[in-house]
Amino acid sequence: GQLDFTPQITAILGQKPAALMFGGMVDISAVAFVKQAKAFGLFSKMLSVHPSLGMPTNNRGLQKGDVPEGILTGSDYPYPPVDTQMNQAFFKAYKERWHELPDEVSANAYTSIYLIAKTIEKAGKADREALVDALPGMSITHPVMGDILIRPMDHQSTSGWWLGYLTWDDKDNVVGLRDTKYMPGTAYLPTQEELRKIRGK
């Protein structure tokens, strides 16, 4: 909840690091830090990295003039909107229904509801233990992350992450990402053999 980062920013500038990772701040703290750090010229002096500043809920409140170009960051619902048929349909329907732009919470809740409904159908009833048994191995399609599997071996989702550089999306008038690349979760999750070693089996 801290909103005055002047002491931290001046200390960082005094150390002259080659790179800065400020991943511990989200929501209003992240917005406050970005605005203040840009005013101090911090982002023009070093590579800056934040794991999730590209998420709409973490950058809400930043205006075009607040956004420094080139912070390496990511999101599970980036702007400009990912150009898939499913996302274009989701984006249009959400905007028409709620009169606002969707964010990662919107897309993830939408996907979760469909996954729950699909799991209930497979289980044949809306019983908690039946759903727990039915969920492993289930798959669902996310508007921007494509097909996601709930792995039977560890119940982890294979959802991934969009990486890119912070910028301003003039079309939708929101914070966006440029030079985006989707990193599928399957490339980074441990294999079944690795899990056995981790679990000591």
Side-chain angles (χ1 to χ4, degrees):
Q2 184 171 334
L3 297 177
D4 180 11
F5 294 100
T6 304
Q8 289 86 356
I9 292 167
T10 53
I12 292 164
L13 287 167
Q15 292 292 320
K16 299 181 180 178
L20 169 71
M21 181 169 185
F22 59 109
M25 288 177 283
V26 295
D27 197 23
I28 60 171
S29 293
V31 168
F33 181 84
V34 168
K35 287 181 179 181
Q36 293 162 38
K38 186 183 180 197
F40 274 86
L42 183 146
F43 299 116
S44 63
K45 294 177 171 62
M46 64 196 72
L47 169 68
S48 297
V49 180
H50 188 291
S52 59
L53 192 59
M55 292 169 63
T57 54
N58 278 345
N59 60 51
R60 192 170 287 134
L62 289 175
Q63 301 301 314
K64 185 173 184 176
D66 301 324
V67 177
E69 279 284 332
I71 295 175
L72 178 61
T73 186
S75 178
D76 48 355
Y77 197 81
Y79 278 84
V82 176
D83 190 17
T84 63
Q85 186 176 356
M86 183 179 185
N87 189 47
Q88 294 300 328
F90 168 75
F91 182 90
K92 181 174 183 286
Y94 187 93
K95 191 174 176 184
E96 287 176 359
R97 172 65 178 85
W98 299 107
H99 310 291
E100 63 183 23
L101 298 175
D103 57 26
E104 73 280 4
V105 177
S106 318
N108 294 342
Y110 169 86
T111 305
S112 297
I113 291 297
Y114 274 98
L115 179 61
I116 291 167
K118 192 175 176 183
T119 307
I120 290 171
E121 186 177 353
K122 178 183 173 185
K125 54 184 173 178
D127 171 77
R128 183 175 64 182
E129 293 307 317
L131 295 179
V132 169
D133 291 340
L135 192 57
M138 293 291 290
S139 63
I140 197 72
T141 304
H142 188 283
V144 302
M145 291 189 276
D147 293 333
I148 295 170
L149 172 71
I150 306 301
R151 303 199 317 174
M153 66 185 88
D154 58 4
H155 303 178
Q156 292 294 305
S157 156
T158 60
S159 60
W161 198 247
W162 286 90
L163 286 178
Y165 294 93
L166 205 69
T167 191
W168 184 258
D169 172 20
D170 281 315
K171 182 180 177 215
D172 294 296
N173 209 31
V174 293
V175 178
L177 295 177
R178 63 172 168 79
D179 304 325
T180 54
K181 181 178 181 181
Y182 183 66
M183 314 298 285
T186 49
Y188 302 97
L189 289 166
T191 65
Q192 192 158 3
E193 185 57 37
E194 288 168 335
L195 282 174
R196 286 196 187 101
K197 290 177 183 176
I198 291 166
R199 294 171 175 172
K201 291 182 180 179

